Amino acid sequence: NIYQPYVRPMVRGKDKAQVEFGAKLGVSLQNGFARINTLSWEAYNESTDLKKQVEDYKCLNGYYPKVAITDQIYGNRENRQWLKERGIRYSGKPLGRPPVKNQTPYQKRKFRQEQGLRNEVEGKFGQGKNGYNLNKIRARRSSTSESWIAAIFFVMNLVRFTKDFLSAILNAIFNLLFSEQNRFALQWTRNIE
């Protein structure tokens, strides 16, 4: 594009689109809030971002996560070894052939639940694209486009915060009303007796 020369084609090999255009985002999710860890216009293998994202998590929280739930591309040998050295469990399919003995129902259920958490990150991209036009950035400069992308994630986090806040207020009101009703019902019952 003449107006956006910083946007490079990225060959992805997906069925829907062999080549994609736009920024590569490395996003992590914590308690439902999305954080952009990496934003790049260059075509590169994003599996190299895992270490940076885990270290960012440690800087923010003061400790490493117990488990890393990632896309399959992050599950290379180097990343798995790096996580293992830090005592972080990698949630993903093991490398190599499938094991001869089947997994227990507990292991299968745990894997499905963790992959469901992974779907939350993909859902954030879907929310950004469908609700906030994340896939239709029209800025001409790369810095403006990056600000636009960051603003979209900020708004999505703000919406999440508002929902959580309103839910907490409604729960408090609900609990207060029903505790008052219960107290009134007990007094009324005592007066009748």
Side-chain angles (χ1 to χ4, degrees):
N1 189 324
I2 291 175
Y3 298 111
Q4 295 175 323
Y6 52 89
V7 177
R8 307 265 192 275
M10 296 178 214
V11 178
R12 301 290 288 171
K14 294 180 180 176
D15 290 337
K16 189 174 181 181
Q18 289 289 323
V19 178
E20 292 179 346
F21 297 88
K24 276 195 172 191
L25 295 177
V27 175
S28 60
L29 199 66
Q30 187 175 3
N31 299 326
F33 295 97
R35 180 180 305 104
I36 299 173
N37 296 92
T38 309
L39 194 154
S40 175
W41 298 99
E42 300 299 322
Y44 71 100
N45 187 338
E46 55 264 21
S47 68
T48 58
D49 291 341
L50 180 70
K51 295 173 188 174
K52 179 186 177 299
Q53 290 185 9
V54 171
E55 290 297 337
D56 287 348
Y57 181 93
K58 183 182 178 191
C59 287
L60 185 68
N61 296 293
Y63 54 88
Y64 285 118
K66 292 179 183 175
V67 63
I69 304 170
T70 65
D71 203 353
Q72 285 183 347
I73 196 165
Y74 291 93
N76 60 30
R77 290 185 197 286
E78 181 184 343
N79 285 342
R80 288 173 192 248
Q81 183 62 36
W82 188 85
L83 291 170
K84 188 176 181 180
E85 290 169 359
R86 282 149 186 80
I88 303 168
R89 187 173 58 81
Y90 177 75
S91 174
K93 292 183 180 179
L95 294 174
R97 287 185 180 182
V100 174
K101 93 177 163 177
N102 293 334
Q103 291 181 324
T104 65
Y106 170 76
Q107 290 171 325
K108 289 179 184 179
R109 188 172 58 249
K110 187 175 182 180
F111 180 75
R112 274 196 309 272
Q113 286 174 342
E114 288 176 348
Q115 292 309 305
L117 294 173
R118 169 71 191 129
N119 292 338
E120 286 185 45
V121 174
E122 296 298 332
K124 281 293 178 185
F125 284 112
Q127 179 186 5
K129 289 178 180 180
N130 294 327
Y132 302 97
N133 291 332
L134 185 61
N135 58 341
K136 296 177 183 171
I137 305 292
R138 301 283 188 240
R140 291 195 180 191
R141 296 180 52 207
S142 63
S143 59
T144 311
S145 294
E146 291 167 9
S147 297
W148 197 333
I149 291 166
I152 289 172
F153 274 89
F154 175 74
V155 169
M156 288 191 299
N157 286 335
L158 197 58
V159 168
R160 171 65 190 240
F161 175 78
T162 305
K163 285 181 182 178
D164 289 351
F165 183 70
L166 289 176
S167 176
I169 288 176
L170 290 175
N171 282 336
I173 291 171
F174 184 76
N175 292 334
L176 182 66
L177 286 176
F178 279 103
S179 66
E180 288 293 321
Q181 280 184 344
N182 289 340
R183 192 171 9 168
F184 176 73
L186 285 173
Q187 285 178 345
W188 189 72
T189 307
R190 286 183 189 148
N191 289 340
I192 290 176
E193 293 173 353

